[in-house]
Amino acid sequence: MTHWFAIIMGAALFTLMIPVIYRIWVGPTCFDRILGVNVIGTKTAVLLVIIGTLFERVEMFVDFAITYALLNFVGAIVISRYLNRTISLKDMESREKEGARKR
Amino acid sequence: MKWISLIPVVGVGVLLLFAAQDFPEWGDPQSPASQSPVASHFINNTGVDTEVPNMVTAVLADYRGFDTMFETVVVFIAGIAVLAILKGSGGRRRGTRRAYEVEAEPDIIVTHTVRLMVPVIQIFAFYVLAHGHVSPGGGFQGGVVMGASFILVALAWDLDHALVRMSLPRCMAIAAAGIIIYAGIGFLSMFLGGEFLDYAELEKVLPVSREMARYHAMLGVEIGVGFTVTSIMFALYANLSTEGRLKGGL
Amino acid sequence: MMSFSSPFQCLASATVEAGSSEGGFLVLQVIGVLLGVLGLIFFLGAAVGLVRFPDFYTRLHAAGKGDTLSTMLMLTGFALVTMEDFSLSSWLLLIKIMAVVFFIYLTSPTSSHALMRAAFEDDEMPITEDDIKKRNRQKGGKKS
């Protein structure tokens, strides 16, 4: 029963990831894409535990899940701090256009 | 034109999924890759020789220890190269700010969470390092997690806040100490009558059997690797993110 | 009828009478499956919100809350499902999975907050009622 529960949960997670991938693909702003990547990264921790249940080596895969959640957090903080410490993307684009016009 | 590239990607993906059916069972000792004489030798003898349950760690740190030592040296040389290139060029424009950079206060929620998480992450790094004999892990992985905790401090506040705790001279001293630990264990086993990195000879100084001496020497070697990787990770981040200025940062 | 080595063991071996024809499944497993399905429902909400909501901040609201809660529920469910016997290693496994849950409980809202702040300082303005009215007017103008 555990086996089938893990398989069905994994399939359902993959199915529900499709809308998130749609948001990454379409996303009007770059923040939407980052958000989608973040959501999928969090769900990957769950998927790793599911894979561990299927292989019956959960104690090994849980370590991977912790590391993946940690990397996901570090990635989100990196991107948000980078965008905090630079001028906004619209200003950057307009500056680039001005530079191109001057040349 | 972008859409045309989707066709080969999907095609190759379907082919890979189709080929994935032919994989051997996970952890199957009868799979073709495990049938070669070298692999079967390790499968049969690792547990007897070293009492390490995780075969990968035993091969990496013991049977192939010479290779791993110079991998660590390669990591060290990479750090030295980045420092040598960026340290000099950063001096000329120290303190100047790029046109696209603005002042940003540290975020209070992020800093408080990082303050809570960093000790936990560092304990987890020690766990990954020390548990590498039993589960996946070891010096390189534990060092990367440890370096990530220092990078997290540098991200949440700014680079100066992290450099107070881990300045660049200290980084390089720790990195060199890691290699000295690794090579020191090798030379120690050489002086005790064996060959270079022949850990079994350490039984003369450790109060354990020959197998357990190899087990414990592997842990020492992994600690050396962890030292080097941690400090080089942080030194690379500090130099690359600020282009050698060591000011402000990402 | 049996001697239980720990007080929790009676919980694990209490079989559901109705399903005993299938060999008896355990109470903990049923709770774990229920928690997992509940997490899937919350993740469905997050996914629908991520597609349907009009601007970045509302999408962040849906994703941040639904994603965190659903991940925590699913991991807790799996921690209970994999709890087969009450030996030391299975307790260690439970503690490890709960560590992941705790980690996500702390970090996922924080990364949502950091993203929100980055977007706000990047002059990404939330959508207002005037914007919606204007958009509707433009759509109506094109149609007529």
Side-chain angles (χ1 to χ4, degrees):
Chain A
M1 181 185 133
T2 310
H3 189 74
W4 282 107
F5 176 56
I7 288 179
I8 292 170
M9 281 284 287
L13 265 182
F14 265 118
T15 318
L16 285 178
M17 271 182 192
I18 293 172
V20 184
I21 288 176
Y22 164 81
R23 184 46 72 194
I24 295 176
W25 189 298
V26 174
T29 63
C30 72
F31 301 105
D32 287 306
R33 300 168 205 265
I34 300 167
L35 179 64
V37 171
N38 205 357
V39 168
I40 286 186
T42 319
K43 282 291 165 290
T44 309
V46 183
L47 271 181
L48 279 172
V49 175
I50 290 175
I51 292 170
T53 315
L54 284 181
F55 284 149
E56 296 182 347
R57 292 290 300 273
V58 193
E59 75 276 4
M60 197 176 99
F61 278 84
V62 164
D63 291 349
F64 303 164
I66 295 179
T67 317
Y68 208 90
L70 162 71
L71 283 182
N72 196 32
F73 176 59
V74 175
I77 297 291
V78 165
I79 289 174
S80 61
R81 286 304 278 174
Y82 174 71
L83 291 170
N84 256 352
R85 286 180 184 168
T86 51
I87 58 171
S88 74
L89 295 172
K90 288 169 193 165
D91 286 356
M92 212 179 270
E93 275 178 14
S94 63
R95 276 191 200 183
E96 277 175 6
K97 272 177 196 164
E98 275 179 19
R101 211 176 292 146
K102 273 176 191 171
R103 266 174 235 148
Chain B
M1 281 308 281
K2 242 173 158 182
W3 289 91
I4 299 175
S5 60
L6 198 64
I7 299 168
V9 168
V10 170
V12 171
V14 168
L15 272 180
L16 283 178
L17 278 180
F18 181 68
Q21 291 175 340
D22 293 339
F23 271 141
E25 280 286 309
W26 201 65
D28 181 19
Q30 304 296 323
S31 67
S34 306
Q35 288 294 319
S36 73
V38 182
S40 56
H41 173 260
F42 284 135
I43 288 171
N44 289 327
N45 290 11
T46 304
V48 184
D49 285 349
T50 63
E51 297 197 11
V52 173
N54 186 359
M55 222 180 296
V56 177
T57 307
V59 172
L60 184 98
D62 190 322
Y63 295 108
R64 220 192 58 181
F66 205 59
D67 185 55
T68 310
M69 183 176 133
F70 281 98
E71 272 172 24
T72 318
V73 175
V74 164
V75 171
F76 184 69
I77 289 174
I80 294 279
V82 169
L83 272 182
I85 292 170
L86 284 179
K87 197 88 192 306
S89 69
R92 269 182 273 126
R93 47 172 197 277
R94 183 179 296 273
T96 59
R97 187 175 287 138
R98 287 300 175 91
Y100 52 84
E101 284 176 356
V102 292
E103 195 69 41
E105 285 286 307
D107 190 296
I108 189 164
I109 293 179
V110 174
T111 50
H112 274 75
T113 310
V114 169
R115 197 191 294 266
L116 275 177
M117 291 320 297
V118 160
V120 181
I121 292 171
Q122 291 184 345
I123 290 173
F124 180 67
F126 282 129
Y127 162 76
V128 169
L129 201 157
H131 214 247
H133 294 86
V134 188
S135 65
F140 288 98
Q141 293 87 344
V144 166
V145 174
M146 194 72 165
S149 74
F150 283 109
I151 291 175
L152 207 53
V153 171
L155 282 171
W157 286 273
D158 46 8
L159 196 59
D160 298 334
H161 201 269
L163 282 176
V164 168
R165 285 152 179 76
M166 191 97 166
S167 63
L168 273 192
R170 200 179 290 174
C171 262
M172 299 323 284
I174 293 175
I179 292 178
I180 288 172
I181 288 175
Y182 201 138
I185 289 175
F187 277 118
L188 187 62
S189 52
M190 201 163 87
F191 288 135
L192 287 173
E195 293 160 5
F196 189 63
L197 290 172
D198 186 6
Y199 306 136
E201 298 299 327
L202 287 173
E203 63 162 345
K204 289 166 189 162
V205 287
L206 294 174
V208 286
S209 64
R210 281 182 79 85
E211 288 79 22
M212 286 310 280
R214 291 175 87 165
Y215 187 98
H216 291 304
M218 260 182 247
L219 182 62
V221 161
E222 300 272 16
I223 289 172
V225 174
F227 273 20
T228 307
V229 173
T230 304
S231 46
I232 292 299
M233 273 274 289
F234 182 65
L236 282 184
Y237 167 77
N239 276 291
L240 286 178
S241 68
T242 61
E243 301 172 0
R245 282 172 295 156
L246 298 181
K247 207 81 180 161
L250 193 65
Chain C
M1 68 189 179
M2 286 177 260
S3 62
F4 298 120
S5 59
S6 80
F8 300 97
Q9 207 137 17
C10 57
L11 187 65
S13 59
T15 53
V16 176
E17 293 301 323
S20 58
S21 60
E22 283 187 308
F25 48 96
L26 309 172
V27 172
L28 273 188
Q29 289 201 339
V30 174
I31 297 174
V33 170
L34 282 181
L35 281 180
V37 172
L38 199 62
L40 272 186
I41 292 170
F42 275 107
F43 187 41
L44 177 69
V48 170
L50 208 53
V51 172
R52 290 287 299 163
F53 276 159
D55 75 329
F56 171 68
Y57 294 98
T58 46
R59 285 194 283 259
L60 184 65
H61 170 80
K65 286 196 168 71
D67 187 41
T68 312
L69 184 59
S70 67
T71 308
M72 286 166 63
L73 282 175
M74 276 187 245
L75 282 176
T76 315
F78 267 95
L80 294 181
V81 162
T82 51
M83 192 86 178
E84 279 160 1
D85 53 345
F86 287 83
S87 59
L88 190 66
S89 62
S90 64
W91 275 110
L92 189 68
L93 192 60
L94 184 79
I95 291 172
K96 268 186 183 173
I97 297 183
M98 285 331 232
V100 187
V101 171
F102 184 68
F103 195 89
I104 284 171
Y105 169 70
L106 276 179
T107 57
S108 182
T110 309
S111 53
S112 296
H113 167 79
L115 264 181
M116 185 280 296
R117 188 171 156 149
F120 191 72
E121 293 190 355
D122 225 58
D123 300 337
E124 171 84 23
M125 279 299 129
I127 198 168
T128 55
E129 283 192 9
D130 293 342
D131 291 337
I132 298 174
K133 272 179 198 163
K134 206 184 285 175
R135 193 186 291 169
N136 285 342
R137 213 177 297 141
Q138 279 175 354
K139 268 186 190 169
K142 273 176 191 170
K143 272 178 192 169
S144 62

